[in-house]
Structures are given as structure tokens and as C-alpha cells.
Amino acid sequence: MCSSDLLFRTISSKISAIVILLILLFVVNYGLLTYFLNEQELLATQMLQMSQAERKLHALNGGFYEIRFWEKKVLEEKNPDAIANYGASISSIKTELRELEDFETNKTIQSKLHSIRAGILHHETIFNEAQQLKTTQNLHRTSLNTSYRSLSSNILNDDMRQFFKPLFNLNH
């Protein structure tokens, strides 16, 4: 009976050792799996942010072309909605820049984004100054035309009509 008892203890201790070893292997593998899944989730989040940043950069590039298009339309005076569309394009570019600046990127990219923002503000300032200059020129042209009409009216109504008749190409 002693030998069977010893044999039973040996077998049960070996089974216990195997069970403990299996449990330890399960815990270690579960820990590795958890670590791997957390790393994969972090990597997926980073890839999603990179994808979103790339889409924003693509939209920003398209926005630059759009503001140039509307800027030309405003300066050519061919589209009455061009100023509103230009303003909307500038606004969307500023929004996209803000969203890009919110992404966690390195300092070089952040400094480039800040310089783009400064460039957009400078461009907008120059464009507004050009619009103001154009408005001022139109006002001066109108004033000049009014002054010329007033002068010609005064001359035509004056006694010196005969003297100025050839100058103004008068036929009456």
C-alpha cells in the first residue's frame, strides 16, 4: 500500500506541476496577448490620425487652388459671388489649419503650419489692400468723370462756347 500511495502522490504531484505550469503559461500568454492588442490599438489610432492628417493636408492643398481661382475671379470682376466664395475658401483653409495644428506632430511640421497660417494672413491682407485700392480707384475715376462733365457743362453753358466748340467736338 505504501508503494501505491507513493505512486499516487508522485502522479498527483506531476499532474499538479503540469496544471501549475499550464496556468502559468496561460497567464504569461494572456499578458503577452493583452500587451500585443494594446500596442495594435495604439498603432491603429496613430495610423488613423496620420490618415486624417493626410486628408486634411490634401484638403488644404485643394483650398489653396480654390482661393487662387476665386481671387482671379474677384480681380477680373467676372463673378458677383466671387468675394463671398473667396472669403469662404479662406475661412475653410483657416479651419483646416487649426485642425491640423491640433494633431500631435513634430515641431518641424508645427512650425511649417504656423508659417502657412502667417502666409495666409499676409495673403489675405494684401488681397484686402488690393480690393481697397481698386475701390479707391473707382471712386477717383467717378470723381474725375463727374468733374469733367461739370467742366464741360459749364463751358457749354458759358459765353465762350464758340471758342471751345472745336475742342469738345461740338456739332450744334
Side-chain angles (χ1 to χ4, degrees), residues 27-50:
V27 169
V28 168
N29 284 330
Y30 185 78
L32 286 173
L33 179 64
T34 304
Y35 174 76
F36 175 75
L37 290 176
N38 284 338
E39 288 297 314
Q40 286 297 317
E41 184 179 358
L42 181 65
L43 186 61
T45 304
Q46 289 173 345
M47 293 300 287
L48 179 65
Q49 286 179 344
M50 286 174 53

Side-chain angles (χ1 to χ4, degrees), residues 25-110:
L25 283 174
F26 175 78
V27 169
V28 168
N29 284 330
Y30 185 78
L32 286 173
L33 179 64
T34 304
Y35 174 76
F36 175 75
L37 290 176
N38 284 338
E39 288 297 314
Q40 286 297 317
E41 184 179 358
L42 181 65
L43 186 61
T45 304
Q46 289 173 345
M47 293 300 287
L48 179 65
Q49 286 179 344
M50 286 174 53
S51 174
Q52 289 173 345
E54 187 177 337
R55 274 189 241 129
K56 294 284 181 199
L57 284 170
H58 183 69
L60 186 65
N61 189 33
F64 286 133
Y65 286 113
E66 188 175 344
I67 65 169
R68 297 300 293 172
F69 172 78
W70 288 117
E71 180 184 38
K72 288 178 185 174
K73 294 294 180 190
V74 168
L75 295 175
E76 293 171 357
E77 297 179 359
K78 290 187 177 179
N79 189 332
D81 299 330
I83 292 176
N85 290 334
Y86 175 81
S89 297
I90 288 284
S91 175
S92 76
I93 282 181
K94 287 180 181 177
T95 302
E96 289 168 9
L97 274 172
R98 245 181 273 116
E99 290 173 2
L100 276 170
E101 288 172 344
D102 289 342
F103 285 113
E104 292 181 19
T105 55
N106 62 20
K107 291 183 180 183
T108 306
I109 293 174
Q110 287 295 328

Side-chain angles (χ1 to χ4, degrees), residues 18-30:
I18 291 173
V19 168
I20 290 173
L21 184 64
L22 287 174
I23 290 173
L24 283 175
L25 283 174
F26 175 78
V27 169
V28 168
N29 284 330
Y30 185 78

